[in-house]
Amino acid sequence: MHKHKAEGVIPQYLLKKLANEGNEKAKESIVRTKEILKKRMDKPIKRERDVTISSAQPVRDHNPDRHIYDCEHTESRRKKLARSEGDPATNDDDVNRAYDFSGICLDYFKNVLNRNSIDNLGMDLIFNVNYGENFLNAFWDPNRQEMVFGDGDGKTFLSFTRSLDVIAHEKAHGITEYTNNLEYAQQSGALNEHFSDVIGSAVKQHAKRESADSADWLIGNEIVGPEFGGIALRSLKEPGTAFTNDPQPNHMSKYKDLPVNEDGDYGGVHINSGIPNKAFFLVSMEIGTDNAAILWYNAWNNREYLHRHAQFKDAFEAILKTAQTLSSQGMMPYNTEEAVKRAFSEVGIYSLVGV
């Protein structure tokens, strides 16, 4: 069994590519990320209790508070509390963006997904911004139950708080942890990354009042710098087009069978996620992005299909079953079930399932 892993919004293979091109900050970020992850994986995830709650249950009354810490360009987390719930804006843009964007995420979770914060019990949000010297990453730490955001180097990457979808992406990793805790390797790991991209894109579109056909469907386009060599980290609409030599496939015929180690992106978790990402885009184009996000979120709570080691075909079955249930209850458009079948057929997953 593979240990639970998580990298950050910038995968190791991309940081190594940049390091090989002479980016010294990428080299430093690789070393530091490895150190963080090793410490994290050596400790079990501690919770007061195992929380898995159906999205059909009412949202809890407790309102989560936001606590934004300024690392002051050191590697010490929770170094200086810069802004807490209800406090006025500061003169630090990273602190204010973390506060404001996390509020947008919380509102989306509550009002669209009917979820109260990451754990559905009103968990307070802990952010660490201005982490390290030009640190090139952002991540959710499941052991410490907090988020960390670097400032970027101003060339390859800008500050990671600049992107609403990146903040939502990292928080969605927490949701996955509290629902099905998908193993971070191969297809289950790709589904883990996929769900974070789904929620990141949905939150951004909702906040910008975009429709599925007017959205850019890009992840992290606000954080890429002038020397990045692309327009974003990923594209859900056209996987494989976000940057030069973007390795994401858009169909199972192009699936990349990679080794389960950091050089292989833990079996392609950031790479093969392009396949279900494309399916989400296609479903959204038929029923709307918020409806698709509700559908995916409810499927994520279905442990019968989406267990810890779930594969792409399991995700399809969970989403299809959820589409049938919600449509029969009048909670989804009439064409949702067929939209799901068409989308997963177009990316080559539906044909893998004997239904």
Side-chain angles (χ1 to χ4, degrees):
M1 178 182 294
H2 307 295
K3 290 183 179 180
H4 174 80
K5 307 179 184 69
E7 292 192 278
V9 72
I10 310 299
Q12 290 285 295
Y13 77 82
L14 183 52
L15 286 175
K16 287 185 176 182
K17 174 181 179 293
L18 296 171
N20 291 336
E21 294 170 354
N23 188 315
E24 292 300 321
K25 290 301 178 182
K27 294 178 184 178
E28 294 174 13
S29 295
I30 290 170
V31 173
R32 186 60 189 133
T33 301
K34 283 183 178 180
E35 292 173 352
I36 294 168
L37 296 175
K38 185 177 188 305
K39 290 179 182 178
R40 189 164 72 194
M41 289 186 290
D42 286 344
K43 298 178 181 179
I45 297 173
K46 295 179 180 179
R47 306 187 190 93
E48 291 184 3
R49 57 195 174 98
D50 185 26
V51 181
T52 303
I53 301 171
S54 167
S55 61
Q57 291 182 311
V59 174
R60 273 37 179 193
D61 292 333
H62 173 70
N63 292 319
D65 291 336
R66 292 164 284 178
H67 305 286
I68 317 300
Y69 289 85
D70 184 359
C71 298
E72 298 182 319
H73 307 292
T74 71
E75 295 179 356
S76 297
R77 290 192 243 171
R78 307 195 192 193
K79 188 174 191 296
K80 175 185 176 183
L81 183 59
R83 188 176 180 184
S84 283
E85 191 66 35
D87 288 348
T90 72
N91 59 2
D92 187 314
D93 289 340
D94 290 293
V95 170
N96 294 330
R97 282 192 294 256
Y99 184 91
D100 294 340
F101 285 169
S102 61
I104 292 171
C105 293
L106 286 172
D107 287 344
Y108 189 87
F109 293 171
K110 181 177 181 179
N111 299 325
V112 179
L113 302 182
N114 193 34
R115 187 178 187 90
N116 189 2
S117 191
I118 288 171
D119 64 349
N120 206 21
L121 293 174
M123 174 193 287
D124 289 349
L125 301 182
I126 307 296
F127 280 80
N128 296 275
V129 303
N130 301 317
Y131 178 82
E133 284 288 343
N134 305 125
F135 184 66
L136 304 184
N137 226 330
F139 58 87
W140 156 259
D141 187 328
N143 188 56
R144 295 181 54 157
Q145 302 283 280
E146 64 185 16
M147 284 158 280
V148 177
F149 292 82
D151 288 335
D153 58 4
K155 299 176 181 179
T156 309
F157 294 109
L158 309 178
S159 172
F160 287 82
T161 64
R162 290 170 57 95
S163 179
L164 172 59
D165 52 47
V166 167
I167 289 177
H169 173 105
E170 295 308 325
K171 290 169 79 170
H173 277 306
I175 292 178
T176 292
E177 177 192 338
Y178 277 93
T179 52
N180 46 44
N181 198 22
L182 288 161
E183 183 184 22
Y184 204 72
Q186 298 174 313
Q187 288 191 22
S188 58
L191 288 171
N192 194 318
E193 285 296 334
H194 157 67
F195 183 69
S196 283
D197 279 351
V198 160
I199 297 302
S201 188
V203 169
K204 180 170 74 170
Q205 290 180 39
H206 189 86
K208 296 175 72 174
R209 298 182 179 179
E210 296 175 332
S211 62
D213 58 358
S214 67
D216 59 32
W217 288 98
L218 299 173
I219 297 293
N221 51 310
E222 297 90 350
I223 66 169
V224 296
E227 297 180 12
F228 175 66
I231 58 173
L233 299 178
R234 290 178 288 282
S235 169
L236 280 73
K237 181 178 181 179
E238 295 295 344
T241 65
F243 56 87
T244 303
N245 298 320
D246 181 350
Q248 277 207 317
N250 60 8
H251 192 275
M252 283 302 294
S253 63
K254 302 174 185 176
Y255 180 86
K256 292 178 170 60
D257 190 6
L258 299 169
V260 185
N261 55 37
E262 61 189 31
D263 290 331
D265 188 37
Y266 300 107
V269 298
H270 289 94
I271 296 173
N272 292 315
S273 55
I275 299 170
N277 278 0
K278 177 77 173 185
F280 179 81
F281 161 75
L282 293 169
V283 172
S284 297
M285 289 295 290
E286 292 205 50
I287 68 171
T289 305
D290 281 348
N291 280 330
I294 293 167
L295 176 59
W296 254 248
Y297 169 68
N298 277 271
W300 243 240
N301 282 278
N302 186 341
R303 282 195 173 183
E304 179 183 355
Y305 294 100
L306 273 172
H307 47 82
R308 179 161 165 73
H309 304 287
Q311 304 295 289
F312 287 174
K313 64 180 179 64
D314 300 314
F316 165 70
E317 290 176 346
I319 293 164
L320 182 63
K321 179 65 175 177
T322 305
Q324 293 167 342
T325 300
L326 295 183
S327 295
S328 69
Q329 296 172 350
M331 298 173 63
M332 281 285 140
Y334 73 93
N335 62 327
T336 299
E337 181 180 345
E338 292 306 313
V340 169
K341 289 180 179 178
R342 280 191 290 271
F344 279 85
S345 176
E346 187 163 331
V347 301
I349 295 175
Y350 177 59
S351 60
L352 301 178
V353 185
V355 297

